[in-house]
Amino acid sequence: MNFSSKILEEAVDQVSQLPGIGKRTALRLVLHLMRQPEHNTDALSDALLKMRHDLNFCKKCHNVSDVEICEICASHNRDQSIVCVVEDIRDVMAIENTSQYRGLYHVLGGKISPMDGIGPQDLKVRSLVDRVKNDGVTEIIFALSPTIEGDTTNFYIFKQLDGLEVNTSTIARGIAVGDELEFADEVTLGRSILHRVPYENSLKN
Amino acid sequence: MNFSSKILEEAVDQVSQLPGIGKRTALRLVLHLMRQPEHNTDALSDALLKMRHDLNFCKKCHNVSDVEICEICASHNRDQSIVCVVEDIRDVMAIENTSQYRGLYHVLGGKISPMDGIGPQDLKVRSLVDRVKNDGVTEIIFALSPTIEGDTTNFYIFKQLDGLEVNTSTIARGIAVGDELEFADEVTLGRSILHRVPYENSLKN
């Protein structure tokens, strides 16, 4: 693209470095900001800087939080003995939205992925083991994506927990509610039969 | 969405106000910035602020420019007597990319659109008329989108130019190069027959 202004080009370059945003979309967004009042751009810029510099993470579960120990970890209404291990904060939000879980979380910050150069040392695994040792955690629920990386990470953590008094489980894999059976992939369908639940249990929700 | 941090929520809110970006995409972009080094967010924020506050427009054609008169208007290699009227700077970039046009531009900054509250007074029409009067412009090419708003704007400008010594033309409407005839809409196909060009002319490019 030939820009008639270096300032415009720099803005488009910066915006197009965001994932999933190409040069054309970046230009569209920048032109939008150009047409809006100046304080809109100021507010956007402020919010991004504040997010990047002032955002804190819960000392316990590593979820984003404005205070040292996040609301969930500090809550007396949550079961402190169960910890659900997730990849990032979006998973916490997704599970919280279900209102079905009353335990705590542990945000790993990613999955073991040699292709992306992410090893166990880049994830919050050690602090999870410490929580099991020191905080009276009796059950760990693995809720990572069912990919090779997710399974590898689960297994790595499982090995690290070896010898500790803690139960481990994974979230159920199966046919999504509302899905047609015939369109399910065979691995998922196979697991859903292998891990079938008593009919009475399925009536509870 | 339930955010565990007000700072994060504010950042996502701000990003999701950009056109075509919903809350989920905004969260994805913000989390991406969170994982990148701090100076990436600083650079993005700086570039946006600079774009919004320091960007200048060419005094003549209203294209974005870092100097008072843009490169195109100041060039001695361009035909100063032809002015192509476009909606915004993206159209200038698109036409420049074709390398087929050696005249000047005039960026209106939009189209007349009562639905969006944009009237003639919001567009750079007066300065276009002034250019025709004072700068020896002999031809105006309308290159607005072929919508009702575009046609209305063309006609409004055409009326404003009434009595001035200037030729007006519009860019050719027709079947796009490489398109299948059978899939063309009837208006376009109709116009392409009505405004057919001598076969020899079509060989020139």
Side-chain angles (χ1 to χ4, degrees):
Chain A
M1 272 197 229
N2 281 321
F3 290 93
S4 54
S5 154
K6 285 270 170 239
I7 295 175
L8 180 68
E9 184 167 11
E10 172 66 15
V12 171
D13 270 354
Q14 284 293 337
V15 174
S16 67
Q17 274 169 32
L18 293 171
I21 295 190
K23 288 261 173 178
R24 290 173 81 97
T25 307
L27 179 60
R28 191 165 54 81
L29 297 179
V30 167
L31 290 183
H32 170 83
L33 286 175
M34 205 195 292
R35 274 188 234 109
Q36 301 287 112
E38 295 193 348
H39 63 80
N40 285 21
T41 306
D42 297 348
L44 170 64
S45 173
D46 274 1
L48 289 179
L49 286 178
K50 207 156 183 224
M51 180 279 296
R52 192 62 193 83
H53 293 280
D54 299 348
L55 205 61
N56 284 314
F57 294 87
C58 173
K59 292 261 180 296
K60 216 165 158 184
C61 71
H62 311 290
N63 192 6
V64 287
S65 166
D66 295 338
V67 284
E68 201 149 282
I69 299 292
C70 77
E71 266 178 48
I72 296 175
C73 286
S75 169
H76 292 296
N77 295 321
R78 319 258 332 189
D79 186 342
Q80 304 270 336
S81 66
I82 308 181
V83 170
C84 180
V85 178
V86 294
E87 195 184 326
D88 74 13
I89 65 162
R90 274 177 292 184
D91 304 322
V92 174
M93 289 165 68
I95 297 176
E96 281 298 286
N97 274 341
T98 67
S99 308
Q100 296 289 333
Y101 180 63
R102 303 306 301 162
L104 306 184
Y105 294 94
H106 190 88
V107 180
L108 285 180
K111 292 175 288 195
I112 296 174
S113 172
M115 293 282 281
D116 304 316
I118 303 173
Q121 71 285 353
D122 300 314
L123 308 178
K124 308 288 186 192
V125 176
R126 177 159 297 276
S127 65
L128 175 63
V129 176
D130 289 344
R131 285 178 77 180
V132 173
K133 280 183 186 157
N134 306 326
D135 293 359
V137 175
T138 57
E139 184 176 356
I140 296 281
I141 304 171
F142 293 121
L144 300 183
S145 313
T147 57
I148 295 179
E149 289 86 6
D151 290 346
T152 307
T153 312
N154 287 344
F155 191 69
Y156 178 82
I157 297 173
F158 179 73
K159 280 287 169 195
Q160 297 294 310
L161 296 173
D162 206 20
L164 295 174
E165 281 278 333
V166 64
N167 293 318
T168 49
S169 58
T170 68
I171 55 171
R173 311 294 181 191
I175 309 299
V177 178
D179 260 13
E180 297 280 351
L181 215 67
E182 55 178 322
F183 300 125
D185 67 289
E186 53 259 54
V187 179
T188 304
L189 189 53
R191 283 216 201 176
S192 75
I193 291 173
L194 213 62
H195 301 149
R196 61 196 177 276
V197 294
Y199 179 65
E200 295 86 348
N201 290 8
S202 73
L203 297 175
K204 284 182 188 161
N205 261 302
Chain B
M1 272 198 230
N2 281 321
F3 290 93
S4 53
S5 154
K6 285 270 169 239
I7 294 175
L8 180 68
E9 184 167 13
E10 173 65 14
V12 171
D13 270 355
Q14 284 293 338
V15 174
S16 68
Q17 275 169 32
L18 294 170
I21 294 190
K23 288 260 175 181
R24 290 174 80 96
T25 308
L27 179 60
R28 192 165 54 79
L29 297 179
V30 168
L31 289 183
H32 169 82
L33 286 175
M34 205 196 289
R35 275 187 233 110
Q36 301 288 111
E38 295 193 346
H39 62 80
N40 285 22
T41 306
D42 296 348
L44 170 63
S45 173
D46 274 1
L48 289 179
L49 286 177
K50 204 152 184 230
M51 180 279 297
R52 191 62 193 85
H53 294 279
D54 300 347
L55 205 62
N56 285 313
F57 295 86
C58 173
K59 291 261 180 297
K60 217 166 159 185
C61 71
H62 310 293
N63 192 5
V64 287
S65 166
D66 295 338
V67 285
E68 201 148 283
I69 299 292
C70 76
E71 265 178 49
I72 295 175
C73 286
S75 169
H76 292 296
N77 295 320
R78 318 250 345 181
D79 186 343
Q80 307 270 335
S81 66
I82 308 181
V83 169
C84 179
V85 178
V86 293
E87 194 184 327
D88 74 14
I89 64 162
R90 273 178 292 185
D91 304 322
V92 174
M93 289 164 69
I95 296 175
E96 282 299 285
N97 274 341
T98 67
S99 308
Q100 295 290 331
Y101 180 64
R102 304 306 301 165
L104 306 183
Y105 294 94
H106 190 87
V107 180
L108 285 179
K111 291 174 289 194
I112 296 174
S113 171
M115 294 280 281
D116 304 315
I118 302 173
Q121 72 285 352
D122 300 314
L123 307 178
K124 309 287 186 193
V125 177
R126 177 160 298 275
S127 65
L128 176 64
V129 177
D130 289 343
R131 287 178 77 179
V132 173
K133 281 181 184 158
N134 308 325
D135 293 0
V137 175
T138 57
E139 183 176 357
I140 296 281
I141 304 171
F142 293 121
L144 300 183
S145 312
T147 56
I148 295 179
E149 288 86 6
D151 289 347
T152 308
T153 312
N154 287 344
F155 191 69
Y156 178 83
I157 297 172
F158 179 73
K159 281 287 170 196
Q160 296 295 308
L161 295 173
D162 206 21
L164 295 173
E165 280 279 333
V166 65
N167 293 317
T168 49
S169 58
T170 67
I171 55 170
R173 310 294 181 192
I175 309 298
V177 178
D179 260 15
E180 297 280 351
L181 216 68
E182 57 178 323
F183 301 125
D185 67 290
E186 54 258 55
V187 179
T188 304
L189 189 52
R191 283 216 202 176
S192 76
I193 291 173
L194 214 61
H195 301 149
R196 61 196 177 278
V197 294
Y199 178 65
E200 296 85 350
N201 291 7
S202 73
L203 297 174
K204 284 182 188 160
N205 263 302

